[in-house]
Amino acid sequence: MFNRNRGLRRVAAVASIALVAGCGVFSSTGTGDSGPIVVGTTSAPSTLDPAGSWDGSWELFRNIYQSLLAYPDGATAPQPDAAENCAFTDSGKRTYRCELRSGLKFADGDALDAEAVKYSIDRIRTIKAPSGPAGLLGSLDRVQALGDREVVFHLNKTDATFPFVLATPAMSIVDPDDYPARSLRKDDSVYGSGPYTLKAYDDKRAELVRNDRYQGFADRQNDAVTIRYFQDSATMVKALRSGDIDVTYRGLAASDIVALEAHADTDLQLVDGTGTDISYLVFNPADPWAKVPAVRKAVAQIVDRSAIAHKVYKGTVDPLYSMVPAGLTGHTTGFFDDYGDPSTSKARKILADAGITQRVPLTFWYTTDRYGSETGRMFQELKQQLDDSGLFTITLRSRPWKTYVVGYQKGEYPVFGRGWFPDFPDADNFIAPFVGEQNALGTPYPSPVITGKLLPESRTESDRGEVVKEFKEAQQILVNDARLIPLWQGRQYVAASDDISGGERALDPSTIMMMWELHRKTSW
């Protein structure tokens, strides 16, 4: 269902097969590393409390907290982590039972039991943070703790995707003694039961050290990792080239990727693989122009995704014609099938048929510090495409992520850009979060056929390869509405110094980095 095949592009003169196989020229030093592996990223956490985040903060959560299920060894279906086993216990897939591993403890020594799991899930729904993950739990009725090790989830409807939800870092288990039931934790001294503990944290770095009390699937190949947070790709790559960091992930600019590929004498390596992150536009129905279907469809008819992919991103992303990315079961190319190549004349007819003859004014908003250095240039390209058609007058506005989120949640933006890194590798997760009165976008999108028929039908099927029909129909509804316009699908790049191994295994199916897979190499 999810293609994890990855290629390793060498930027140094060492045979790639030796690096992929982990043998030949180099071997791992394992946990005997001389110092922490330093990983650079431009995606800093918005919060350290799992109940408050439905975003890139999950990267850190996966490494310091633990969930009942996860994705060990590249699995595409959830497997036990804090749980010893989990399964639906009824044919209707409305009762899901997990048995915890014996003797689990948090990093401070407190017991991690069934009550802690129940507490952690309940507080997500109680707090219901505006940017939190409560929306993932729409099918959950109640959680029951039976004894110390048994947790039972009672669902209010059939939901075969519920195990995927439990495998997200949003469902991280926290200590009831130190995480308030009705509010988010504000300090930086957080901890969980994951592979690492958070030794120190500020807005520039997170220092992770091995958690000796951890019990789970992670086979840690290092004792410590430091994550450094950068504002831009250029500064991050400069730090990689100078040896100040060992690995970069998330936020590599296209120009830096191309430069790394082009220079074979830099003693660096580049892991290149297909990703499932997407970029798209959201139209706010509260805006007098954005609410008009003909306006949205005219924009969809003009947008040139290939120009964006090649002019702005230099071929490091792929044009996307559906909200469900390629590589997932049920992917279609609906926007290309219905609109074909970009056409101003077709767009003009769409508007004229709706009685619109003047240039349509629209304001496009984007964030300056979330989705990579090219975001601003992409919106400049979109503005030029639409302005040059003679049918639109586009104004661009931008904000940093933390204030940007507040704005779209309040419905302030007529049209705005969003990116989406999947919660789990299933087409459901590229449709369900965006529809309904309450969704991840902050703009209501009632779609009764999708929410009342297609998604419920698809969630009765545990074999996710058997839900193609439902997802194709849902995607066509999204195309017809043009409330969401997909732009591109990303590829995943991990750049690393020559003495680092594990980068090709470090990304789980949701493209979250498992820091424990990274390790240093030494000559035989």
Side-chain angles (χ1 to χ4, degrees):
M1 179 175 65
F2 182 84
N3 185 354
R4 285 297 315 279
N5 291 334
R6 297 192 174 281
L8 180 63
R9 297 187 184 182
R10 292 291 295 127
V11 193
V14 179
S16 63
I17 188 170
L19 293 173
V20 173
C23 60
V25 178
F26 296 110
S27 64
S28 169
T29 61
T31 57
D33 294 345
S34 58
I37 291 175
V38 185
V39 179
T41 177
T42 61
S43 182
S46 60
T47 176
L48 300 184
D49 190 327
S53 170
W54 196 348
D55 60 25
S57 304
W58 289 9
E59 199 89 55
L60 183 59
F61 296 170
R62 175 63 81 204
N63 291 278
I64 63 174
Y65 295 106
Q66 196 173 17
S67 49
L68 289 171
L69 303 169
Y71 298 98
D73 304 321
T76 57
Q79 304 294 325
D81 186 10
E84 190 170 274
N85 57 76
C86 291
F88 282 106
T89 60
D90 65 327
S91 59
K93 298 181 180 64
R94 296 181 64 166
T95 305
Y96 194 73
R97 175 191 174 276
C98 290
E99 183 179 8
L100 296 176
R101 294 176 186 262
S102 178
L104 287 173
K105 293 184 181 297
F106 291 104
D108 70 342
D110 286 354
L112 191 166
D113 56 15
E115 283 293 342
V117 176
K118 171 178 165 55
Y119 180 90
S120 300
I121 304 299
D122 284 346
R123 76 185 288 266
I124 292 172
R125 299 201 298 170
T126 299
I127 294 171
K128 205 175 182 178
S131 56
L136 287 171
L137 295 170
S139 64
L140 179 62
D141 180 34
R142 61 189 176 92
V143 188
Q144 185 179 18
L146 300 177
D148 290 337
R149 295 176 57 196
E150 185 177 357
V151 186
V152 181
F153 299 90
H154 300 276
L155 308 184
N156 53 38
K157 54 189 172 185
T158 299
D159 188 0
T161 70
F162 189 70
F164 290 86
V165 173
L166 289 181
T168 67
M171 303 300 129
S172 296
I173 305 165
V174 299
D175 190 339
D177 290 343
D178 293 294
Y179 287 74
R182 298 184 177 279
S183 62
L184 296 176
R185 186 166 173 172
K186 302 296 186 183
D187 65 284
D188 297 336
S189 301
V190 300
Y191 66 92
S193 60
Y196 300 97
T197 58
L198 187 62
K199 179 182 177 182
Y201 176 84
D202 59 33
D203 60 358
K204 296 187 182 301
R205 70 180 60 220
E207 296 181 17
L208 312 183
V209 295
R210 184 185 183 93
N211 174 17
D212 291 330
R213 291 191 169 95
Y214 169 71
Q215 293 186 62
F217 75 88
D219 181 14
R220 289 164 292 187
Q221 300 297 306
N222 60 68
D223 287 328
V225 173
T226 295
I227 305 171
R228 286 185 54 189
Y229 301 112
F230 291 85
Q231 293 296 312
D232 58 78
S233 174
T235 306
M236 182 169 66
V237 171
K238 181 179 179 181
L240 177 67
R241 291 186 183 279
S242 67
D244 290 338
I245 63 175
D246 301 302
V247 183
T248 67
Y249 177 57
R250 289 221 196 279
L252 279 173
S255 57
D256 289 320
I257 293 169
V258 171
L260 287 168
E261 290 176 326
H263 293 85
D265 58 348
T266 57
D267 294 327
L268 299 174
Q269 54 182 305
L270 190 68
V271 178
D272 172 6
T274 300
T276 52
D277 58 306
I278 67 173
S279 177
Y280 58 99
L281 293 176
V282 182
F283 286 78
N284 184 352
D287 180 78
W289 283 111
K291 73 178 182 181
V292 179
V295 169
R296 303 194 299 263
K297 293 178 180 181
V299 172
Q301 183 62 72
I302 291 170
V303 168
D304 188 338
R305 295 167 178 82
S306 292
I308 292 170
H310 294 288
K311 290 173 61 177
V312 179
Y313 289 92
K314 304 182 187 302
T316 61
V317 303
D318 298 312
L320 182 63
Y321 297 93
S322 168
M323 290 298 290
V324 176
L328 294 187
T329 297
H331 164 74
T332 68
T333 55
F335 275 90
F336 184 81
D337 298 339
D338 281 24
Y339 292 96
D341 292 326
S343 171
T344 295
S345 61
K346 289 181 180 179
R348 181 177 291 107
K349 184 177 187 306
I350 291 171
L351 292 173
D353 288 349
I356 301 171
T357 57
Q358 74 270 39
R359 289 180 74 123
V360 176
L362 286 173
T363 300
F364 281 28
W365 282 81
Y366 64 94
T367 180
T368 57
D369 59 353
R370 193 64 177 179
Y371 303 125
S373 304
E374 290 86 5
T375 303
R377 292 197 292 277
M378 180 183 76
F379 273 84
Q380 290 287 347
E381 172 67 20
L382 285 168
K383 171 180 168 58
Q384 182 174 339
Q385 291 178 10
L386 292 165
D387 284 351
D388 286 354
S389 73
L391 303 176
F392 292 91
T393 300
I394 304 299
T395 301
L396 298 182
R397 295 283 184 270
S398 63
R399 286 176 177 170
W401 175 252
K402 287 189 176 181
T403 53
Y404 184 75
V405 171
V406 174
Y408 73 67
Q409 288 172 345
K410 291 182 177 179
E412 295 178 0
Y413 311 146
V415 185
F416 59 98
R418 280 295 310 269
W420 187 253
F421 297 97
D423 304 320
F424 49 85
D426 190 275
D428 183 289
N429 194 236
F430 289 87
I431 296 174
F434 310 134
V435 295
E437 289 293 337
Q438 292 184 325
N439 59 51
L441 303 174
T443 56
Y445 185 177
S447 184
V449 175
I450 294 179
T451 58
K453 178 179 181 291
L454 298 176
L455 289 177
E457 287 177 357
S458 73
R459 289 169 178 173
T460 65
E461 181 57 69
S462 293
D463 183 350
R464 305 307 289 163
E466 297 297 321
V467 293
V468 171
K469 176 180 177 294
E470 290 83 359
F471 286 131
K472 284 187 174 181
E473 188 175 339
Q475 287 170 87
Q476 188 58 49
I477 291 172
L478 298 181
V479 172
N480 295 342
D481 292 343
R483 283 277 308 274
L484 310 170
I485 297 182
L487 298 173
W488 54 256
Q489 174 177 348
R491 296 164 66 184
Q492 298 304 319
Y493 294 91
V494 177
S497 62
D498 201 36
D499 69 336
I500 296 294
S501 187
E504 70 279 7
R505 297 183 300 275
L507 304 180
D508 79 1
S510 298
T511 67
I512 291 174
M513 180 169 275
M514 302 177 291
M515 301 295 178
W516 57 84
E517 292 285 1
L518 302 172
H519 55 88
R520 301 189 190 281
K521 299 171 293 191
T522 185
S523 300
W524 279 359

